Amino acid sequence: MNSKNNDKSKRGKSKTSKGTLIDHTYYDYSTSELSELLPDKNDSDQKPSNRVTFPMKLHTILSSTNYQDIICWMPHGRSWKILDNNLLASKICPKYFNHSSYDSFNRSVNGWGFKRLMKHGPDYKSYYHELFLRGRPELALAMVRLDRPGKRIPDPEGEPNFYHISKLFPLPLDPALTQDSSDVVVSSRDQENCINETAEAKASVTSHRENESP
C-alpha cells in the first residue's frame, strides 16, 4: 500500500500481446473525504454527474439484507463477491439495471474499473476498487467509467492483502448484517460465505508486498 503522493505517479502498465497486466498498486481511501476526490468545482469540463451510477447502485445492493445469498461484501469490506450468477441476473439485474444479463453486469464491473482478485484464498474471485468501500457509499461518486478498459491479465502475486490493511484502517461493519434480527433474514450459508472467512483468512492469507513510503 503506497502513500497518496506516490501511488498514482508510479503506476505503470505492463503490456503484453494478450493484454495489460493488472496493476494492483493500492491506496486506501477509507479516511479520505469526498471533497478531496471530486474534480475542481471551477473546472467546467470535469463536473461530476448527478445521475445514479452503476457503482452507486451496486453499493446499495451490497448493503441490502435481501441479497446476501447472491452477492456480499467480504469480511474486511474492501472487496465483494458474487455467490450466485444466475440469481444475480434473474433477480437483481432486472430491478436495478433494466436487463437480465450476467454478461452485461460483468461488462459494467470491468468498465467501472473494478479489479478481480485471483490469488487462491478467502478473497478469491472477489472484486475491488479503491473508491468502493463498505460504509463509505459517497466515495463511489468519485469513480469514473473507463474509456477502453481492454483485456486485463491477472497478477495474483501483486494483489493487496485487505486483511492486513483492515487491521490498520478498519471499515464500518456490514450494515446488512448488523441490523435488528427481526429485520434480517440471513441463512447459515450466507453467514459462512460473508462472515466466517475471517478465521480462514488468518490462517491462509500471506503478507502482501507493499511499498511503504518513509
Side-chain angles (χ1 to χ4, degrees), residues 45-157:
D45 294 329
Q46 298 190 39
K47 289 182 180 178
S49 171
N50 291 325
R51 68 187 180 88
V52 180
T53 63
F54 174 86
M56 294 164 66
K57 292 180 181 180
L58 180 58
H59 208 291
T60 298
I61 293 166
L62 285 162
S63 299
S64 170
T65 62
N66 299 322
Y67 309 118
Q68 294 298 296
D69 59 337
I70 303 174
I71 186 171
C72 70
W73 290 109
M74 298 307 291
H76 44 69
R78 285 174 168 80
S79 70
W80 51 274
K81 181 181 287 188
I82 300 169
L83 304 176
D84 193 315
N85 295 0
N86 293 327
L87 283 179
L88 176 74
S90 63
K91 186 175 181 180
I92 295 178
C93 286
K95 181 175 181 180
Y96 289 90
F97 307 114
N98 298 318
H99 64 73
S100 57
S101 170
Y102 174 76
D103 289 339
S104 293
F105 176 88
N106 195 50
R107 282 193 293 271
S108 294
V109 169
N110 292 327
W112 279 94
F114 286 97
K115 299 174 183 180
R116 199 177 195 187
L117 298 171
M118 297 302 292
K119 188 173 185 177
H120 286 280
D123 287 346
Y124 181 59
K125 290 189 175 181
S126 66
Y127 296 86
Y128 79 93
H129 189 290
E130 290 176 327
L131 294 171
F132 197 79
L133 304 174
R134 185 182 65 205
R136 298 296 311 277
E138 75 281 3
L139 295 183
L141 288 168
M143 292 177 65
V144 177
R145 188 177 178 87
L146 305 180
D147 236 358
R148 296 179 181 179
K151 182 175 178 57
R152 295 182 292 180
I153 302 171
D155 179 23
E157 294 308 312

Side-chain angles (χ1 to χ4, degrees), residues 172-211:
L173 295 176
D174 189 343
L177 300 177
T178 56
Q179 299 179 27
D180 184 85
S181 58
S182 62
D183 297 326
V184 182
V185 179
V186 182
S187 70
S188 58
R189 182 167 72 88
D190 303 336
Q191 294 179 16
E192 179 181 357
N193 285 331
C194 299
I195 302 176
N196 292 340
E197 288 124 330
T198 304
E200 179 186 351
K202 292 179 180 178
S204 64
V205 176
T206 58
S207 298
H208 165 58
R209 66 187 190 201
E210 296 179 33
N211 296 319

Side-chain angles (χ1 to χ4, degrees), residues 28-48:
D28 189 82
Y29 287 98
S30 62
T31 60
S32 298
E33 295 298 327
L34 178 61
S35 58
E36 303 171 23
L37 307 173
L38 292 176
D40 190 334
K41 293 181 179 179
N42 297 321
D43 189 342
S44 58
D45 294 329
Q46 298 190 39
K47 289 182 180 178

